[in-house]
Every structure is written in structure tokens, then in C-alpha cells.
Amino acid sequence: MIPDEGTVERRPGSALLIRELLHRVRTWAPDGTITYRDRLTLSYREWLQRVDRLGGWLRELGVEPGDRVGVLDYDSHRYLELFFAVPMSGAAVHTVNVRLTPDQMGYTIAHAGDTVLFVHVDFLPLLKAMAGHLTGVRHVIVLTEGAWEAPLGLTCAGEYEEGLAKAEAVKEWPDLAEDSMATLFYTTGTTGEPKGVSFSHRQIVLHTLTAGLTLAVHDDPVGFRADDVYLPLTPMFHVHAWGLPYLATMLGATQVYPGKYEPQMLLQLLTKHRVTFSHCVPTLLQMLLHHPASGTVDWRRLKLIIGGAALLPALVREAQSHGIRIAGGYGMSETCPIIAVAHIKPSMAGGTDEERADLASRTGFALPLVQTAVVDGEGRPMELGKVGELVLRAPWLTSGYLGDAGSSDRLWRGGWLHTGDGAYVDTDGYLRITDRLKDVIKIGGEWISSLEIESALARHPAVREVAVIGVPDAKWDEHPRAEVVLREGMGEVTPRELSRHLHAVIESGVIHKRALLTEVVLVSAIPKTSVGKVDKKRMRANHAAASA
Ligand code: AMP
């Protein structure tokens, strides 16, 4: 007889809890290492003991299941300890975006209901600026490698290392419900206050296992294995550094945490620790490759997943020319985040660098367990190859925004998570993101993808960075405006020459003819968001202000 659900007893250890990610590493890699910057290296054995002690300390601080604990730190071994110990205690770790304004940051801390804050000494002045929001915070713990002073009039529970040293280690982590909230962070949309996005233990575990499986069974062009050396280059406050620290820890991979993102230090760590696997947004890769010290790095051992924004073939080729193995990935805050990776099908392997660059820059194939559909404005499926909105279902998509039923319903209308991204599936089966729906440029009733124009302009050898927005046009509703940063040392290149290059690409039939209306301007920098992506919202606002 098959027992029905009501009569099956859930045995200890059967729930999908973050705790369970740590069992294997205890025997597989106790002597493996976790390094912080150029300051400290811990063995996994030591690091696991610190996690257990942190759990004991959280209990002493009165942290209980259901609580929220905020963290304001750079990427560090401590952050990784908090990634595990806080959820394993039954509380949710709120990874505070330290690049928001103090007022926004304070808003997120108050909205989350954080009762304890772990704060790097560099961010203590920010606490002062947001004091009005911190009335619910009972304890502030200072993370530092040097001297510090107690902030404000808050009860300060001391410094992290001192507290850990005194704490009694947890012997038995609690059995929790797998649906209990494990992580929480805030995403800044186009309008309104930041929105809280959370994930449960079950979601983090399933995301970790599925991303791990996908990257283990496919390695063309990029995989991730237990013998890799891992360094995150997307901040831990942003979608838990794409969840990859959970995977790296489960695998017992050698890990290096860079602290504050300083290009010189990042390049030094890549070299010193012979880093083999990382991930970042395109702008960060560009910044590293163009840094004066880039030549000191042997890039050939590096495998990189690029996500968070479109990966243009021109950047793939540039990375390939350094010997980097690179693939695009797709996801968003609400999706934990990994949804797709641009692996190359065995039947399509080989090919020229140019062909491989094209494949690696496609958005990719959805991970196992992810259901994708491309729909029109009424939620009806589009024909294969036609652009519509990408909608998703998967076990690890956020169930909604914290305390915001209206936005959650809009996100999940019709039973699918609406990404707000335009997409289609190409004839090879690759999912292709064409543009954020709100970035699509509407020229006289035609919808033109800003990414296609960016991609075409990026093929000009003098173009270092390019971003395209739609700006108001009396005749056409909108026309594209391309802002271009030139490479240094490429001689005099004019907007007119770039336009000619763009027109040649358009005439070859790849892009809609209306893109001929593109206005090209040279700029010294392109505005970036708090996570280093091109900030088109600000570009549009700057343009509107300048036009007014
Ligand atoms: P965020 O929630 O800040 O991580 O931003 C997620 C958004 O980044 C997505 O909704 C997409 O618009 C964009 N994005 C992420 N990955 C890609 C990709 N591979 N290609 C194009 N856009 C992407």
C-alpha cells in the first residue's frame, strides 16, 4: 500500500535545509581552504567550527527562528559564515545592499525587521545617517580587521572575532521546516521603494543542487568542479552572489573572498590563488580587462560566467583573446537567480572562435526543473522564434515580494513569474533575451531591441563600452541614442564614423532598418547601478534633464 501524505512521518535530515549542504565537506575537504583577501586563510575544518560558534553566539544574542539578521559587509569569509549560520539558526540572513543610499538602506532594514546587524567598520558612518530607521535593531556587531568605535547609542554587542572566540558552539542545529525563509534582500525597481525578495531553505538547496549539476555535467565552455578555485565577482549582497558560494562550499572547492572590490586587489588575487572559476556582470569584466595591471594576470586558467546583463559577442571575443573560457548566463533577483547558462550542445561543439563567441553569448538553455514560456500581452504562447515576454516556473522562484501582495500578484499573474524581459527561442533551441521590455525602443510602431544596436556598435574596434536607450522623437515617437565610450589609443574616431559602421551592419540585414535613426554620441562614462550594470533609467533621466 502506498501511504498517503498524512501518514508519512518526515524523518530528521529529510528536509531540504541549508544545514545539509555542509555534511560532505567535513570529510571530503577538511583541509581545503577559504581565504579572505590577502589577510587570512582558514581550513574548512576551522571555518566549520566558526560557523558552529556563530550559531551559539546568535542564540546568546536572542536570535530566534523567524527573526531577520542584517549584514553589511564586503565579500568575506565572515559573510560566508553568516550565509550558513543565520539560516541554520532558523532566522533569515538579510544581505543589505551597501550601495543604496543610507535612506534606502535604512528603509530595507526597517522593512525586513532586522533585530541584529553585522556591520563592517567602513559602513558604521552609514548607520549614523540612517539612525531613524534602526529602532528595531537590538544589537550591532562590528566586523573589522583593525580599530573600531561603538556606533551611536545602540547596544553594541561587540566585535565579531571577540564574540566568536567567546561563544559556545552549537552541537545540534535545529530541524526546521524547509519552507522557512533563509535569505532576504531588496531589489530596486524603476518605481517606488525597494522590494524584499526572499528564498526558503528548500529553494536555496534546490538551486544549489541544480546549478551544481548543470555546471558539473556540461563544461563547454564553462563548468564548475570541486577542484576549482573559486572567487566571486558579484557582490554577496546581490542575490547571494548568484548562489555560487553555497555551491562552492558544498563542493569543498578552494574559495577566495576579495573583500572590497578594488581592481588592483582583484587582479592580484586572481593571480596569486590561480583562480579558475568566477562570475560577474559584463561591465566588471571590461573594467578588469582594461585595467593597466591586466597584463600581469594569466587569464588562461579562468572560466567565467557572465550574467545580469547581455553578454555581447564582442566581449566574448575579447575575453577569448586572453584565453578566458566564457559563457553567458541568465537570471534575475526574483529567480535565486540562475535560470539558464549558454552551454554549447555537443552536436554544435567545435567551430571557429567567432562561431563559439556567438553561441556563448546566447542566453542559453534553462536548467533542469525550469519551465520557460514566451507569451504575448494576454499570456498566450508565442510561435517559436517570435519575441514575447519570458515567463517562468521553477521550484526556486521567489513566491513574492515581502509584505507587498499587489506587486507579488503582478509578478505571478496567470501562475507564471513574469520576468519583464523580451525573449524568443531560436532554431537551435537557445533561449535568447532580446531586451528588457521597458528598454525596447518604439520607433513609429516598430519595436527595436537596444541590445542589437549595442551588439553592432560593440563590433567596432574602437568601442570600449556602449549603451543604447530610446529617447523622445517628434516624428517617430522614439529614436535610439547610443552612448559610446571609446578605447584609449585608437586615434580619432568620430560619431559619424561609428554611425557609418552601424549603417553597414544594418544594411547587411541583421537589424531592423529603423535602427538607421540611431544617434551616436561619445561620452566619457556610462552610468552604472548599485550592482555595476548599465543604468538605463539614469541615462534616460539624464537625457531628459539635458533636453529640458
Ligand atoms: P537583477 O534582478 O538586478 O539581477 O536583474 C535581472 C535582469 O538583468 C533581467 O531581468 C534581465 O533584464 C537582465 N539580464 C540578466 N541576465 C541577462 C542576459 N543573459 N541577457 C540579457 N539580460 C540579462
Coordinates of all heavy atoms in Angstrom, one line a residue, residues 263-315:
P263 N 40.1 47.0 -8.1 CA 40.6 46.2 -9.3 C 42.0 45.7 -9.1 O 42.2 44.5 -9.4 CB 40.6 47.3 -10.4 CG 39.6 48.3 -9.9 CD 39.5 48.3 -8.4
Q264 N 42.9 46.5 -8.5 CA 44.3 46.0 -8.4 C 44.3 44.7 -7.5 O 45.0 43.8 -7.8 CB 45.1 47.1 -7.7 CG 46.5 46.9 -7.5 CD 47.3 47.2 -8.8 OE1 46.9 48.2 -9.5 NE2 48.3 46.5 -9.1
M265 N 43.5 44.8 -6.4 CA 43.5 43.6 -5.5 C 42.8 42.4 -6.2 O 43.3 41.3 -6.0 CB 42.7 44.0 -4.2 CG 42.4 42.9 -3.2 SD 43.8 42.1 -2.5 CE 44.6 43.3 -1.6
L266 N 41.8 42.7 -6.9 CA 41.1 41.5 -7.6 C 42.1 40.8 -8.5 O 42.2 39.6 -8.6 CB 39.9 42.0 -8.4 CG 38.7 42.6 -7.6 CD1 37.6 43.1 -8.5 CD2 38.2 41.6 -6.6
L267 N 42.8 41.6 -9.3 CA 43.8 41.1 -10.3 C 44.9 40.3 -9.5 O 45.3 39.2 -9.9 CB 44.4 42.2 -11.1 CG 43.4 42.9 -12.1 CD1 44.0 44.1 -12.7 CD2 42.8 41.9 -13.1
Q268 N 45.3 40.9 -8.4 CA 46.4 40.2 -7.6 C 45.9 38.9 -7.1 O 46.6 37.9 -7.1 CB 46.6 41.2 -6.4 CG 48.0 41.1 -5.9 CD 48.1 42.2 -4.8 OE1 47.8 43.4 -5.1 NE2 48.4 41.8 -3.6
L269 N 44.6 38.9 -6.6 CA 44.1 37.6 -6.0 C 43.9 36.6 -7.1 O 44.2 35.4 -6.9 CB 42.8 37.9 -5.3 CG 42.9 38.7 -4.0 CD1 41.5 39.1 -3.5 CD2 43.6 38.0 -2.9
L270 N 43.4 37.0 -8.3 CA 43.2 36.0 -9.4 C 44.6 35.3 -9.7 O 44.6 34.1 -9.9 CB 42.8 36.8 -10.6 CG 41.3 37.3 -10.6 CD1 41.0 38.1 -11.9 CD2 40.3 36.1 -10.6
T271 N 45.6 36.1 -9.7 CA 47.0 35.6 -10.0 C 47.5 34.7 -8.8 O 47.9 33.6 -9.0 CB 47.9 36.7 -10.3 OG1 47.4 37.4 -11.4 CG2 49.3 36.2 -10.6
K272 N 47.5 35.3 -7.7 CA 48.1 34.6 -6.5 C 47.5 33.3 -6.2 O 48.2 32.3 -5.9 CB 48.0 35.5 -5.3 CG 48.6 34.9 -4.1 CD 48.9 35.9 -3.0 CE 49.5 35.1 -1.8 NZ 48.9 35.6 -0.5
H273 N 46.2 33.2 -6.3 CA 45.5 32.0 -5.9 C 45.1 31.1 -7.1 O 44.4 30.1 -7.0 CB 44.2 32.3 -5.1 CG 44.6 33.0 -3.8 ND1 45.1 32.3 -2.7 CD2 44.6 34.3 -3.5 CE1 45.3 33.2 -1.8 NE2 45.0 34.4 -2.2
R274 N 45.6 31.5 -8.3 CA 45.4 30.8 -9.5 C 43.9 30.4 -9.6 O 43.5 29.2 -9.8 CB 46.2 29.5 -9.5 CG 47.7 29.8 -9.3 CD 48.6 28.6 -9.1 NE 48.7 27.8 -10.3 CZ 49.6 28.0 -11.3 NH1 50.5 29.0 -11.1 NH2 49.6 27.3 -12.4
V275 N 43.1 31.5 -9.6 CA 41.6 31.3 -9.6 C 41.2 30.7 -10.9 O 41.7 31.1 -12.0 CB 40.9 32.6 -9.3 CG1 39.4 32.5 -9.5 CG2 41.2 33.1 -7.9
T276 N 40.3 29.7 -10.9 CA 39.8 29.1 -12.1 C 38.4 29.3 -12.4 O 37.9 29.1 -13.5 CB 40.0 27.5 -12.0 OG1 39.3 27.1 -10.9 CG2 41.5 27.2 -11.9
F277 N 37.6 29.8 -11.4 CA 36.2 29.9 -11.7 C 35.6 31.2 -11.0 O 35.8 31.4 -9.8 CB 35.4 28.7 -11.2 CG 33.9 28.9 -11.5 CD1 33.3 28.6 -12.7 CD2 33.0 29.3 -10.5 CE1 32.0 28.7 -13.0 CE2 31.7 29.4 -10.7 CZ 31.1 29.1 -11.9
S278 N 34.9 32.0 -11.8 CA 34.3 33.2 -11.3 C 33.1 33.6 -12.1 O 32.8 32.9 -13.1 CB 35.3 34.3 -11.2 OG 34.7 35.4 -10.4
H279 N 32.4 34.7 -11.7 CA 31.2 35.1 -12.4 C 31.1 36.6 -12.1 O 31.4 37.1 -11.1 CB 30.0 34.4 -11.9 CG 29.9 34.3 -10.4 ND1 29.4 35.3 -9.6 CD2 30.4 33.3 -9.5 CE1 29.5 34.9 -8.4 NE2 30.1 33.8 -8.3
C280 N 30.6 37.3 -13.1 CA 30.4 38.8 -12.9 C 29.5 39.3 -14.0 O 29.1 38.6 -15.0 CB 31.7 39.5 -12.9 SG 32.7 39.4 -14.4
V281 N 29.2 40.6 -13.9 CA 28.4 41.3 -14.9 C 29.4 41.8 -16.0 O 30.6 41.9 -15.7 CB 27.6 42.6 -14.3 CG1 26.5 42.1 -13.4 CG2 28.6 43.5 -13.6
P282 N 28.9 42.0 -17.2 CA 29.9 42.4 -18.3 C 30.7 43.6 -18.0 O 31.9 43.6 -18.3 CB 28.9 42.7 -19.5 CG 27.6 42.0 -19.2 CD 27.5 42.0 -17.7
T283 N 30.2 44.6 -17.3 CA 31.0 45.8 -17.1 C 32.2 45.5 -16.2 O 33.2 46.2 -16.4 CB 30.1 46.9 -16.4 OG1 29.3 46.3 -15.4 CG2 29.1 47.5 -17.4
L284 N 32.0 44.6 -15.3 CA 33.2 44.3 -14.4 C 34.3 43.6 -15.1 O 35.5 43.9 -15.0 CB 32.7 43.5 -13.2 CG 33.8 43.5 -12.1 CD1 33.5 44.3 -11.0 CD2 34.2 42.1 -11.6
L285 N 33.9 42.7 -16.0 CA 34.9 42.0 -16.8 C 35.7 43.1 -17.7 O 36.9 43.1 -17.8 CB 34.3 41.0 -17.7 CG 35.2 40.3 -18.7 CD1 36.4 39.6 -18.0 CD2 34.5 39.3 -19.6
Q286 N 34.9 44.0 -18.3 CA 35.5 45.0 -19.1 C 36.5 45.8 -18.3 O 37.6 46.1 -18.7 CB 34.4 46.0 -19.6 CG 34.0 45.6 -21.0 CD 32.7 46.2 -21.4 OE1 31.9 46.8 -20.5 NE2 32.3 46.2 -22.6
M287 N 36.1 46.2 -17.1 CA 36.9 47.0 -16.2 C 38.2 46.3 -15.9 O 39.3 46.8 -16.0 CB 36.1 47.3 -15.0 CG 36.7 48.3 -14.1 SD 37.5 47.5 -12.7 CE 36.2 47.0 -11.7
L288 N 38.1 45.0 -15.6 CA 39.3 44.2 -15.3 C 40.3 44.0 -16.5 O 41.5 44.2 -16.4 CB 39.0 42.8 -14.7 CG 38.3 42.8 -13.4 CD1 38.0 41.4 -13.0 CD2 39.2 43.5 -12.3
L289 N 39.6 43.8 -17.7 CA 40.5 43.5 -18.8 C 41.2 44.8 -19.3 O 42.3 44.8 -19.8 CB 39.6 43.0 -20.0 CG 39.1 41.6 -19.8 CD1 38.3 41.1 -21.0 CD2 40.2 40.6 -19.6
H290 N 40.6 46.0 -19.0 CA 41.2 47.2 -19.4 C 42.0 47.9 -18.4 O 42.5 49.0 -18.6 CB 40.1 48.2 -19.9 CG 39.4 47.7 -21.1 ND1 38.0 47.9 -21.4 CD2 39.8 46.9 -22.2 CE1 37.7 47.2 -22.5 NE2 38.8 46.7 -23.0
H291 N 42.1 47.2 -17.2 CA 42.9 47.8 -16.2 C 44.4 47.8 -16.6 O 44.9 46.8 -17.2 CB 42.7 47.0 -14.9 CG 43.3 47.7 -13.7 ND1 44.6 47.5 -13.3 CD2 42.8 48.5 -12.8 CE1 44.9 48.2 -12.2 NE2 43.8 48.8 -11.9
P292 N 45.2 48.8 -16.2 CA 46.6 48.8 -16.6 C 47.4 47.5 -16.1 O 48.3 47.1 -16.8 CB 47.2 50.0 -15.9 CG 46.0 50.9 -15.6 CD 44.8 50.0 -15.5
A293 N 46.9 46.9 -15.0 CA 47.6 45.8 -14.5 C 47.1 44.4 -15.1 O 47.5 43.4 -14.7 CB 47.6 45.7 -13.0
S294 N 46.2 44.5 -16.0 CA 45.6 43.3 -16.6 C 46.6 42.4 -17.2 O 46.5 41.2 -17.1 CB 44.6 43.7 -17.7 OG 44.3 42.7 -18.5
G295 N 47.7 43.0 -17.7 CA 48.7 42.2 -18.4 C 49.5 41.3 -17.4 O 50.2 40.3 -17.8
T296 N 49.4 41.5 -16.1 CA 50.1 40.7 -15.1 C 49.4 39.4 -14.8 O 49.9 38.5 -14.1 CB 50.2 41.5 -13.8 OG1 48.9 41.7 -13.3 CG2 51.0 42.8 -13.9
V297 N 48.1 39.3 -15.3 CA 47.3 38.1 -15.0 C 47.4 37.1 -16.1 O 47.3 37.4 -17.3 CB 45.8 38.5 -14.8 CG1 44.9 37.3 -14.5 CG2 45.7 39.6 -13.7
D298 N 47.6 35.8 -15.7 CA 47.5 34.7 -16.7 C 46.0 34.3 -16.7 O 45.5 33.6 -15.9 CB 48.4 33.6 -16.3 CG 48.3 32.4 -17.3 OD1 47.5 32.6 -18.3 OD2 48.9 31.4 -17.1
W299 N 45.3 34.9 -17.7 CA 43.9 34.7 -17.8 C 43.5 33.3 -18.3 O 42.3 32.9 -18.2 CB 43.2 35.7 -18.7 CG 43.4 37.1 -18.3 CD1 44.3 38.0 -18.7 CD2 42.6 37.8 -17.3 NE1 44.1 39.2 -18.1 CE2 43.1 39.1 -17.2 CE3 41.5 37.5 -16.5 CZ2 42.5 40.1 -16.4 CZ3 40.9 38.4 -15.7 CH2 41.5 39.7 -15.6
R300 N 44.5 32.5 -18.7 CA 44.1 31.3 -19.5 C 43.5 30.2 -18.6 O 42.8 29.3 -19.1 CB 45.3 30.7 -20.2 CG 45.7 31.5 -21.4 CD 47.0 31.1 -21.9 NE 48.0 31.2 -20.9 CZ 49.3 30.9 -21.0 NH1 49.7 30.5 -22.2 NH2 50.2 31.0 -20.0
R301 N 43.7 30.3 -17.3 CA 43.0 29.2 -16.5 C 41.6 29.6 -16.1 O 40.9 28.8 -15.4 CB 43.9 28.9 -15.3 CG 44.1 30.0 -14.3 CD 44.9 29.6 -13.1 NE 46.3 29.5 -13.4 CZ 47.1 30.6 -13.2 NH1 46.6 31.7 -12.7 NH2 48.4 30.5 -13.4
L302 N 41.2 30.8 -16.4 CA 39.9 31.3 -15.8 C 38.7 30.9 -16.7 O 38.7 31.0 -17.9 CB 40.0 32.8 -15.7 CG 38.8 33.5 -15.0 CD1 38.8 33.0 -13.5 CD2 38.9 35.0 -15.0
K303 N 37.7 30.4 -15.9 CA 36.4 30.1 -16.5 C 35.4 31.1 -15.9 O 35.4 31.3 -14.7 CB 35.9 28.7 -16.2 CG 36.8 27.6 -16.7 CD 36.3 26.2 -16.3 CE 36.6 26.0 -14.8 NZ 36.1 24.7 -14.3
L304 N 34.6 31.8 -16.8 CA 33.8 32.9 -16.3 C 32.3 32.7 -16.8 O 32.1 32.5 -18.0 CB 34.3 34.2 -16.9 CG 35.2 35.1 -16.1 CD1 35.4 36.3 -16.9 CD2 34.6 35.4 -14.7
I305 N 31.4 32.9 -15.9 CA 30.0 33.0 -16.3 C 29.6 34.5 -16.2 O 29.9 35.1 -15.1 CB 29.1 32.2 -15.4 CG1 29.4 30.7 -15.7 CG2 27.6 32.4 -15.8 CD1 28.5 29.7 -15.1
I306 N 29.1 35.0 -17.3 CA 28.7 36.4 -17.3 C 27.2 36.5 -17.3 O 26.6 35.9 -18.2 CB 29.3 37.1 -18.5 CG1 30.8 37.0 -18.6 CG2 28.9 38.6 -18.6 CD1 31.6 37.8 -17.5
G307 N 26.6 37.3 -16.4 CA 25.2 37.4 -16.4 C 24.8 38.8 -15.9 O 25.6 39.7 -15.7
G308 N 23.5 38.9 -15.7 CA 23.0 40.2 -15.1 C 22.7 41.2 -16.2 O 22.0 42.2 -16.0
A309 N 23.2 41.0 -17.4 CA 23.0 41.8 -18.5 C 23.5 41.1 -19.7 O 24.2 40.1 -19.6 CB 23.8 43.1 -18.4
A310 N 23.1 41.6 -20.9 CA 23.5 40.8 -22.1 C 25.0 40.7 -22.3 O 25.7 41.7 -22.0 CB 22.9 41.5 -23.3
L311 N 25.5 39.6 -22.7 CA 26.9 39.4 -23.0 C 27.0 39.6 -24.5 O 26.5 38.7 -25.2 CB 27.3 38.0 -22.5 CG 28.7 37.5 -22.9 CD1 29.8 38.4 -22.4 CD2 28.9 36.1 -22.4
L312 N 27.7 40.6 -24.9 CA 27.8 40.9 -26.3 C 28.9 40.0 -26.9 O 30.0 39.8 -26.3 CB 28.1 42.3 -26.6 CG 27.1 43.3 -26.0 CD1 27.5 44.8 -26.4 CD2 25.7 43.0 -26.5
P313 N 28.7 39.5 -28.2 CA 29.8 38.7 -28.8 C 31.1 39.4 -28.8 O 32.2 38.7 -28.6 CB 29.3 38.4 -30.2 CG 27.8 38.6 -30.1 CD 27.6 39.6 -29.0
A314 N 31.2 40.7 -28.9 CA 32.5 41.4 -28.9 C 33.2 41.2 -27.6 O 34.4 41.0 -27.7 CB 32.2 42.9 -29.2
L315 N 32.5 41.2 -26.5 CA 33.2 41.0 -25.2 C 33.6 39.5 -25.1 O 34.7 39.2 -24.6 CB 32.3 41.4 -24.1 CG 32.9 41.3 -22.7 CD1 34.2 42.1 -22.6 CD2 31.9 41.7 -21.6

